């Protein structure tokens, strides 16, 4: 069985460099169904396991409604990836963390790749990777994508995340009390709509229902084959 990995991140953080380095010549490109945006997919073997990487178009967010963002979001939510690798630029980590938090609200099968460490070093920026990992609750790996050797740790962390049991524990962003209690109430009703879909992050769906984000709600309905009442 092939293990599905998504490579995600802001534009220009080194996703394609990592993708090319890890998949080498084992690549193919195509278009997303019904869309003009191109995708690249490629395979790699690591510790005897076969991995399929999908290089997702760069985005700053996955919560607004551009085609790129919709593709990225649908892939995370409904593509059933074994792991989502979020690549960030270590020279402007704070700006990149917005996307990281959006993804961590959806899935806990994430590895954070803090890339461009050579550029950060030149600028005198030091990043405490262990602390970041502790705070976010996911593996964090530092890389210099042009140096293939540094990608070995990344593959090790990806391998570990893909091999571990799926937990139901998602990052909970602490919203104000009123919002939290509204989420809890909606979450209980959402659970009832679900049969046996692998996407079990009911809290996230409750949050999107509360937001009233029509595009995302329709996408949830279409992909999970359920209908929410519009009354
Ligand atoms: N110095 C340095 N340059 C990098 C690193 N990773 C990627 N780059 C360069 O950054 C630019 C953008 O990389 P690319 O892989 O196209 O980014 P993407 O838009 O996320 O796919 C390219 O010129 C890469 O060669 C890195 O770790 N260090
Ligand atoms: Mg790219």
């Amino acid at each position: 069985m092939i293990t599905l990995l998504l490579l995600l991140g802001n534009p220009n953080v080194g996703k394609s460099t990592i993708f090319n380095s890890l998949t080498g010549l084992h690549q193919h490109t195509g278009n997303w169904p019904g869309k003009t945006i191109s995708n690249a997919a490629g395979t790699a073997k690591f510790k005897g396991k076969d991995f399929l990487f999908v290089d997702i178009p760069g985005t700053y967010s996955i919560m607004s409604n551009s085609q790129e963002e919709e593709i990225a979001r649908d892939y995370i939510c409904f593509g059933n990836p074994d792991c989502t690798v979020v690549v960030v630029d270590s020279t402007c980590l704070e700006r990149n963390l917005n996307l990281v938090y959006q993804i961590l609200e959806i899935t806990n099968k994430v590895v954070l790749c803090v890339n461009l460490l050579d550029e950060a070093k030149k600028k005198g920026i030091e990043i405490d990777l262990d602390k970041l990992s502790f705070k976010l609750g996911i593996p964090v790996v530092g890389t210099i994508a042009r140096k293939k050797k540094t990608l070995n740790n990344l593959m090790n962390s990806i391998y570990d995340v893909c091999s571990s049991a799926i937990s139901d524990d998602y990052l909970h962003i602490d919203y104000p009390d009123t919002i939290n209690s509204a989420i809890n109430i909606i979450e209980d009703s959402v659970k009832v709509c679900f049969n046996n879909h692998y996407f079990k992050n009911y809290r996230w769906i409750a949050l999107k229902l509360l937001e009233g984000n029509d595009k995302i709600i329709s996408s949830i309905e279409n992909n999970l084959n359920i209908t929410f009442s519009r009354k």
Side-chain angles (χ1 to χ4, degrees):
M1 215 177 67
I2 202 146
T3 304
L4 177 63
L5 308 176
L6 306 181
L7 266 176
L8 231 105
N10 292 6
N12 281 317
V13 294
K15 295 180 297 300
S16 298
T17 309
I18 292 171
F19 173 79
N20 288 332
S21 175
L22 292 174
T23 62
L25 295 173
H26 308 281
Q27 298 180 7
H28 63 85
T29 48
N31 275 328
W32 305 98
K35 314 245 154 98
T36 50
I37 297 161
S38 65
N39 63 41
T43 56
K45 217 179 177 77
F46 186 78
K47 290 188 183 169
K49 222 181 171 103
D50 288 309
F51 293 91
L52 176 67
F53 282 85
V54 180
D55 188 11
I56 305 278
T59 55
Y60 292 102
S61 156
I62 48 167
M63 288 309 159
S64 65
N65 290 322
S66 74
Q67 268 200 344
E68 278 91 347
E69 300 195 13
E70 206 183 312
I71 286 172
R73 189 174 63 232
D74 282 0
Y75 239 95
I76 299 168
C77 293
F78 314 118
N80 200 10
D82 294 283
C83 177
T84 299
V85 182
V86 189
V87 185
V88 294
D89 179 348
S90 53
T91 67
C92 49
L93 190 58
E94 193 175 342
R95 190 179 72 190
N96 285 238
L97 282 177
N98 177 42
L99 180 68
V100 176
Y101 273 106
Q102 288 182 357
I103 293 165
L104 283 178
E105 258 196 329
I106 302 176
T107 170
N108 49 23
K109 300 217 93 178
V110 176
V111 170
L112 184 64
C113 172
V114 179
N115 191 39
L116 289 136
L117 276 186
D118 53 336
E119 294 295 325
K121 194 173 176 193
K122 274 188 217 159
K123 292 186 177 171
I125 299 169
E126 265 183 62
I127 295 177
D128 188 338
L129 299 172
D130 290 337
K131 190 166 180 185
L132 197 55
S133 171
F134 176 74
K135 292 246 178 202
L136 296 173
I138 52 167
V140 175
V141 185
T143 58
I144 300 166
R146 287 173 180 170
K147 294 192 180 157
K148 191 162 184 183
K149 225 174 50 192
T150 69
L151 299 180
N152 205 46
N153 282 343
L154 177 65
M155 279 313 300
N156 267 317
S157 289
I158 292 171
Y159 183 95
D160 289 347
V161 167
C162 293
S163 314
S164 62
I166 297 169
S167 105
D168 285 338
D169 211 12
Y170 297 95
L171 179 85
H172 276 209
I173 290 174
D174 232 350
Y175 294 101
D177 281 350
T178 41
I179 295 181
N180 270 334
S181 17
I183 294 172
N184 290 341
I185 294 166
I186 301 171
E187 188 180 349
D188 285 341
S189 318
V190 167
K191 274 182 199 161
V192 182
C193 302
F194 278 74
N195 305 319
N196 231 342
H197 201 274
Y198 63 83
F199 189 86
K200 293 197 170 17
N201 192 343
Y202 310 119
R203 184 183 157 87
W204 184 76
I205 291 175
L207 192 60
K208 296 303 128 185
L209 285 167
L210 188 64
E211 261 179 51
N213 188 324
D214 266 341
K215 192 96 186 214
I216 299 183
I217 294 169
S218 300
S219 166
I220 293 169
E221 290 183 313
N222 293 337
N223 283 285
L224 301 184
N225 213 4
I226 49 175
T227 312
F228 297 115
S229 161
R230 294 288 200 278
K231 270 182 270 173

